[in-house]
Amino acid sequence: MFRTSALSTSAFSLLLLLGLTTGCQRAPQASSASGRGAAFWLTTTDKTSLFQSQAPQAWSTAQPTGAVIEIDEKQTFQPIDGFGYCLTGGSAELLHRMGAAERKALLQELFGTDGNHIGVSYLRLSIGASDLDAQVFSYDDLPAGQTDPQLAKFSLAPDEPHLIPVLKEILAINPKIKILGSPWSPPTWMKTNGESKGGSLKPEFYDAYARYFVKYVQGMKTHGVRIDAITVQNEPLHPGNNPSLLMLAEQQAEFVKKNLGPAFQQAKLDTKIIVYDHNCDKPEYPLTILNDPEAKKYVDGSAFHMYAGQIDALSKVHDAHPDKNVYFTEQWVGSKSKFAENLPWHVRTLIIGATRNWSRTVLEWNLAADPQQNPHTPGGCTECRGALTLDGNNVTREDAYYIIAHASKFARPGSVRIGSSLPDKLPNVAFKAPNGDKVLVVQNDSPTAQTFSVRHQGKAFATTLPAGGVGTYVW
C-alpha cells in the first residue's frame, strides 16, 4: 500500500488528503469495478508493491487458456465475522501515547473502509493482562493469602488508562466492530500455585471465576464496549507463559457446563462462549467439550492458533459438529523472520487456509509494538513484531498489516465464502461481500511468476502474480 514503510502519520494524512502518497489509489467502487474490470490489489515479496491498487483486470468472453480459477456463487459456506488483530494492552498503551491527531489518523487508516483505509473488522482483547502488557495484572488482585469469592474488589481500573480510551476511539470509527475477550490467567488467589504463571483453577473458585467473566462483560458494557464473544482460556495447554493457566479439556468442559454457561444464562448475556483457543495439533480438546451435550449447549464454537498442527484441524472439528462455529484467533510474526517468507505463508495458511476450513475470523497477534518489541511482561514474548512498529508518532507498517489488509478491506463482516477451484500452486479463497462484490484472494505458491485466469458467469480475466505474491481481486 505504501512504498515508504516508515512515515509520520500526520505527514501521511496530509499526503493522503492531497492524493500524493506514492503508489496509493482510491479503491474502485463496486459499480465501476464491474464495468471497468476487476479491481486488483497487489503485494510482492520484495516489497516493490505493498497492497497497492493496480490497473483493473479486463473481462473477456474468450475461452481462457492455462490455469483457471472458477468462481461458483452457488456453492456457499460460512459467513465471515471479520479479519483483524489482538489489541494487547501494550498495543493500546503505545497507541494512546501518540499525539491525538496522529493517533486519530492512524486509527482511521486501520479501521476505516474508504480510500486506502484497510477496514480492520475484528479485535481480540486480553481479559486481564496478556504477556504483551507492561506488567501482570488481573481485575481482582489481592495480597498473598487473601481471597475475594464475592468479587467485591473487582475493577476494570487497569484497562482505563489506555485500552478503554483507545477502544472508544476505534468504536467511533466502526461502531459495529466485533470484539473477542480472552483471559491469560485468573486472579492468582483462584489458582493452585498462587502465581500468575502456570497452575490450575481451584475447583472451589469455579463459580467465582464464572462471575468474574460476567462482571468483565458487564463492566466493559458500561464503558460502551460490547464483548461479542469470550474464549474460556488462551492456550490452555501452555502453562509456561507469564501469565498463563493449565486447563485440561475435561476441566474446561466442567467449568463451561456447570459454571460459566449457567452464569451467562442467569445474567442474560448474549456474549458467545468459545472453547479451546490453542493449536491445531489437538482437535481432540474442543471435541471432548463438544461431545459433552451439557457443555455443548452453552458453546458457540472453537478457536485455534497455528503454532503446531495443520490448518485442516478446523474442518475436522467443524465436520464433527457442523452446528458449531470455528474461529482462527492468533498467529504471531517473529521479529527475526522475513517478509518474503511471512507474506506467502500467512496468506496461504491463514487468510486462505483457515477460511477454506470454515473459520469465521482470521486474527494476527499483536497490533503494535515498539522498535525493541516492547512492552511485555517479565517472561513474556520478546520477539513479537506488531502489525505496526510505533516509535512515538512514527509508524512502520509491518508484515501482518499487509497480510490482514488483503482480506479485511473487501471481505467485510457478513461476507460469505463461495466456491472457487484450486489450480496447482494457486491457493485462493473467494467471498461474496454484503454489497454484492465478489472478492478473491490468491497467492502464487511457486518460485516463478504465474499467469492465470479467473472465470465467473461466462466471463474471464487474465492476470499475473509474481513468485510468492498475493493479489486481491474485486468485481
Side-chain angles (χ1 to χ4, degrees):
M1 182 176 176
F2 311 108
R3 292 190 187 278
T4 306
S5 61
L7 184 64
S8 163
T9 301
S10 55
F12 168 78
S13 303
L14 178 60
L15 289 172
L16 188 61
L17 288 170
L18 296 173
L20 297 176
T21 306
T22 304
C24 288
Q25 302 173 30
R26 291 192 67 81
Q29 299 303 307
S31 59
S32 63
S34 58
R36 303 185 329 171
F40 173 26
W41 292 67
L42 173 67
T43 300
T44 58
T45 56
D46 64 4
K47 298 188 179 183
T48 55
S49 182
L50 290 170
F51 194 54
Q52 287 178 251
S53 179
Q54 309 295 303
Q57 307 296 284
W59 291 98
S60 171
T61 55
Q63 186 70 13
T65 58
V68 179
I69 298 175
E70 300 275 1
I71 307 299
D72 183 2
E73 282 187 72
K74 294 180 182 178
Q75 276 192 301
T76 59
F77 301 91
Q78 80 279 13
I80 296 299
D81 283 352
F83 298 89
Y85 305 101
C86 302
L87 179 64
T88 59
S91 298
E93 181 176 347
L94 292 169
L95 286 163
H96 202 228
R97 293 193 189 282
M98 295 178 72
E102 289 84 358
R103 181 176 61 255
K104 181 178 180 181
L106 180 58
L107 293 179
Q108 189 65 45
E109 177 190 330
L110 289 168
F111 298 97
T113 56
D114 60 326
N116 289 289
H117 304 151
I118 67 170
V120 172
S121 52
Y122 203 102
L123 289 174
R124 179 175 178 232
L125 311 178
S126 61
I127 299 176
S130 76
D131 60 311
L132 292 190
D133 277 87
Q135 61 276 323
V136 174
F137 64 86
S138 78
Y139 302 124
D140 200 333
D141 288 329
L142 301 172
Q146 294 185 21
T147 63
D148 180 23
Q150 299 307 312
L151 303 178
K153 296 182 180 179
F154 180 95
S155 172
L156 292 178
D159 285 344
E160 291 172 356
H162 303 297
L163 179 69
I164 289 172
V166 169
L167 279 172
K168 288 181 177 180
E169 291 187 47
I170 292 168
L171 287 165
I173 298 167
N174 180 2
K176 295 183 179 180
I177 194 167
K178 289 192 173 178
I179 297 173
L180 167 70
S182 301
W184 267 238
S185 173
T188 56
W189 54 266
M190 295 186 183
K191 300 175 70 174
T192 54
N193 66 352
E195 298 177 2
S196 59
K197 179 179 176 179
S200 296
L201 182 65
K202 289 183 175 181
E204 61 263 37
F205 292 123
Y206 275 26
D207 177 64
Y209 194 40
R211 289 183 284 107
Y212 182 92
F213 278 90
V214 171
K215 280 184 170 288
Y216 171 75
V217 173
Q218 292 174 334
M220 291 298 275
K221 184 178 180 181
T222 65
H223 286 285
V225 179
R226 181 182 182 275
I227 303 299
D228 181 71
I230 57 92
T231 62
V232 181
Q233 173 60 37
N234 170 70
E235 299 189 344
L237 299 178
H238 175 36
N241 202 355
N242 185 26
S244 60
L245 177 82
L246 176 66
M247 181 179 268
L248 302 179
E250 295 78 10
Q251 294 171 321
Q252 193 162 121
E254 187 82 0
F255 178 61
V256 167
K257 71 181 179 183
K258 292 189 176 178
N259 305 99
L260 186 62
F264 273 32
Q265 192 172 66
Q266 184 176 359
K268 296 182 169 55
L269 299 182
D270 61 358
T271 299
K272 305 177 185 77
I273 295 173
I274 299 172
V275 299
Y276 191 41
D277 206 10
H278 207 171
N279 289 331
C280 292
D281 61 337
K282 300 288 184 184
E284 62 270 22
Y285 188 115
L287 289 173
T288 295
I289 301 170
L290 294 174
N291 288 340
D292 182 333
E294 288 303 304
K296 179 181 177 177
K297 68 182 182 181
Y298 295 113
V299 173
D300 171 83
S302 311
F304 295 85
H305 306 175
M306 186 60 190
Y307 304 110
Q310 300 297 320
I311 200 66
D312 64 0
L314 280 66
S315 280
K316 292 176 183 176
V317 174
H318 168 270
D319 292 348
H321 293 273
D323 56 328
K324 297 299 179 182
N325 296 311
V326 293
Y327 303 87
F328 191 89
T329 51
E330 180 188 317
Q331 193 69 28
W332 85 319
V333 173
S335 62
K336 297 179 181 178
S337 60
K338 297 178 180 178
F339 185 86
E341 298 168 353
N342 292 329
L343 174 75
W345 186 90
H346 282 247
V347 172
R348 180 175 66 249
T349 310
L350 307 181
I351 300 296
I352 295 169
T355 53
R356 288 193 79 104
N357 284 279
W358 297 96
S359 184
R360 295 173 69 113
T361 60
V362 176
L363 307 182
E364 291 281 330
W365 181 212
N366 51 318
L367 175 57
D370 76 6
Q372 290 75 44
Q373 322 311 326
N374 291 320
H376 58 78
T377 62
C381 181
T382 60
E383 296 181 13
C384 287
R385 184 192 297 160
L388 305 170
T389 295
L390 298 182
D391 187 4
N393 289 332
N394 293 315
V395 180
T396 305
R397 293 155 185 85
E398 303 282 6
D399 311 22
Y401 176 97
Y402 300 105
I403 290 161
I404 290 297
H406 268 279
S408 61
K409 183 171 180 65
F410 302 109
R412 302 301 302 157
S415 296
V416 175
R417 183 168 77 85
I418 57 176
S420 61
S421 63
L422 286 170
D424 187 44
K425 300 294 184 180
L426 288 169
N428 67 82
V429 65
F431 307 95
K432 184 175 182 180
N435 67 354
D437 281 355
K438 268 60 70 180
V439 181
L440 175 68
V441 181
V442 187
Q443 192 264 324
N444 176 8
D445 189 25
S446 75
T448 58
Q450 285 202 82
T451 298
F452 58 96
S453 296
V454 177
R455 183 162 51 195
H456 178 233
Q457 294 183 342
K459 298 187 299 180
F461 61 83
T463 187
T464 301
L465 283 178
V470 175
T472 297
Y473 303 88
V474 186
W475 65 94

